[in-house]
Amino acid sequence: MSGQIRIAILGVQHYHANFWTRAVLQSDKAMMAGIWDPDPVLAAKFAQTQKVDYIADCEELLAVCDAVAICSATSDHREFIRKAAHANLPILCEKPLGISTDDNIEIREIVETAGVRFMQSFPKRFDPATAAVRNIVESGDLGDIFLCRVRHGHSHGLGEEFRKEWFVDPAKSGGGTLLDEGIHAADFLRYIFGEPEEANAAISSSTLGLPVEDTAQATFSYADGLIAEVSTSWCFAAADASIEIYGTSGTLLLRGVDIASRPTSESDFLRVFRSGSGWESLDVLPHFKTGVFHEHVMWAFLDALAAGTPMPVGIDDGIRAFAMIDAAYRAARTGARTLIAYPGIST
């Protein structure tokens, strides 16, 4: 694309719309074409706060933009993607992709039929801490890795306002903390270790008494014997290590990469133990500690549009991460280990 890329944001119910708007306004590659939301009161308030245009007619907005970012309630993703695809516009979509497997498959059909470019939002992909972890794992320094533990979450559920949001309505969100927060961990595991085969899980809504779970633990099993644990909650008052990786020759500990652990410390975020040399702190500053995290998703989207290069995260990534979480939900319901089904995707 030549000239500044005109971005339209469809749906501002997800708070990340604020970060994406800020990213566009700070970019020399793009400008805001405007925002639209089916709730005119919410849209007007957002537009006033962010000092951007609110276009009351969605079709009018789509006619004056070059690409679309969707940051609505998850249940609206499919129809908003349909609108953007019908207008032949590239799409950036907030996570998770949809509220169900069927929803995700229909979204993929919409995107593939229209032939539009699509990017799934997974901000951990762009964090230097994630890149450092991947490099260490691939180096073999940790030996044979047999256990990975990912804890990811926040304390927003302890606040009354969050408990009134659409996140806690399963019809709009598709699930509770296991989907909302756990999808980050699922994509991280896929990005670092590849595809697990089975899932087991337990979920609980006893802390907050909501229609969706506020706390969850899932275990994913790999063909090579690796076990990956995911613990997530909306009720972490505070936390320390976010990621632990254990191998026969070393250990990796990472903190400061989720909201619960963000205030824990100001240094030594990534520590590695190597047999024979002991502990080492690596010079890595997670994006969460800089105060700029979700913006990097939008900047990556804009970079791909400007350069005409492939999107760094695709629709199949969204479907595969969702499949892991869906298998965990099924395992929690049945109490039995469950095969992960990666629907309609060749390995």
Side-chain angles (χ1 to χ4, degrees):
M1 292 185 178
S2 59
Q4 283 197 312
I5 303 165
R6 299 169 298 173
I7 298 293
I9 293 185
L10 302 190
V12 294
Q13 288 196 32
H14 202 300
Y15 190 76
H16 295 170
N18 292 278
F19 302 124
W20 287 4
T21 300
R22 186 184 310 161
V24 173
L25 294 175
Q26 292 176 356
S27 172
D28 59 1
K29 293 184 175 73
M31 60 180 290
M32 286 293 299
I35 64 103
W36 172 86
D37 192 279
D39 181 341
V41 175
L42 176 65
K45 181 179 178 181
F46 183 93
Q48 182 179 23
T49 300
Q50 294 293 341
K51 297 180 173 55
V52 296
D53 291 334
Y54 159 47
I55 309 299
D57 186 322
C58 182
E59 302 305 319
E60 179 182 334
L61 177 57
L62 293 176
V64 295
C65 71
D66 301 309
V68 167
I70 294 172
C71 219
S72 64
T74 308
S75 57
D76 288 331
H77 285 180
R78 182 180 63 197
E79 289 312 307
F80 291 4
I81 288 169
R82 192 189 306 277
K83 290 177 182 292
H86 182 72
N88 197 34
L89 294 166
I91 301 164
L92 168 64
C93 184
E94 183 54 77
K95 59 79 194 169
L97 182 59
I99 60 171
S100 68
T101 297
D102 289 344
D103 204 22
N104 293 342
I105 297 305
E106 186 169 349
I107 288 171
R108 185 173 62 196
E109 290 174 353
I110 292 168
V111 169
E112 290 182 348
T113 299
V116 295
R117 303 177 71 191
F118 184 94
M119 178 173 164
Q120 175 74 76
S121 172
F122 280 136
K124 279 186 176 294
R125 295 282 189 112
F126 309 105
D127 194 326
T130 300
V133 170
R134 193 180 194 193
N135 288 338
I136 292 166
V137 168
E138 291 179 347
S139 74
D141 284 0
L142 304 183
D144 295 328
I145 296 172
F146 53 87
L147 178 66
C148 176
R149 304 174 68 186
V150 181
R151 184 209 44 74
H152 195 90
H154 54 65
S155 62
H156 296 341
L158 302 177
E160 184 177 353
E161 287 306 309
F162 182 87
R163 300 195 296 270
K164 298 176 183 177
E165 292 283 348
W166 63 268
F167 293 100
V168 308
D169 180 351
K172 293 182 178 181
S173 64
T177 185
L178 180 57
L179 181 58
D180 178 41
E181 296 296 310
I183 197 81
H184 288 293
D187 183 66
F188 174 85
L189 291 173
R190 287 191 59 248
Y191 188 61
I192 302 298
F193 300 111
E195 238 81 66
E197 292 186 335
E198 295 182 323
N200 209 342
I203 61 176
S204 173
S205 58
S206 62
T207 303
L208 302 179
L210 298 170
V212 293
E213 78 283 353
D214 54 61
T215 304
Q217 180 150 16
T219 304
F220 298 100
S221 303
Y222 283 76
D224 63 0
L226 171 66
I227 296 173
E229 301 175 5
V230 172
S231 299
T232 182
S233 179
W234 288 335
C235 304
F236 290 133
D240 196 341
S242 302
I243 294 167
E244 307 171 24
I245 300 176
Y246 299 93
T248 54
S249 300
T251 297
L252 180 151
L253 301 177
L254 176 64
R255 57 185 173 180
V257 293
D258 74 326
I259 293 174
S261 72
R262 182 168 55 189
T264 301
S265 64
E266 298 301 322
S267 62
D268 299 331
F269 300 104
L270 178 59
R271 294 187 298 142
V272 179
F273 175 89
R274 297 177 177 88
S275 297
S277 59
W279 286 100
E280 176 190 7
S281 292
L282 277 67
D283 185 18
V284 173
L285 181 64
H287 278 160
F288 254 121
K289 293 300 297 186
T290 69
V292 180
F293 183 68
H294 295 284
E295 290 89 341
H296 290 276
V297 171
M298 175 60 76
W299 289 331
F301 179 61
L302 296 176
D303 286 345
L305 289 177
T309 53
M311 291 296 167
V313 190
I315 197 165
D316 283 355
D317 292 306
I319 291 176
R320 285 176 177 266
F322 186 96
M324 290 173 60
I325 300 301
D326 181 63
Y329 275 127
R330 289 186 283 121
R333 289 194 296 268
T334 63
R337 229 159 57 164
T338 301
L339 284 172
I340 302 171
Y342 299 106
I345 306 172
S346 59
T347 56

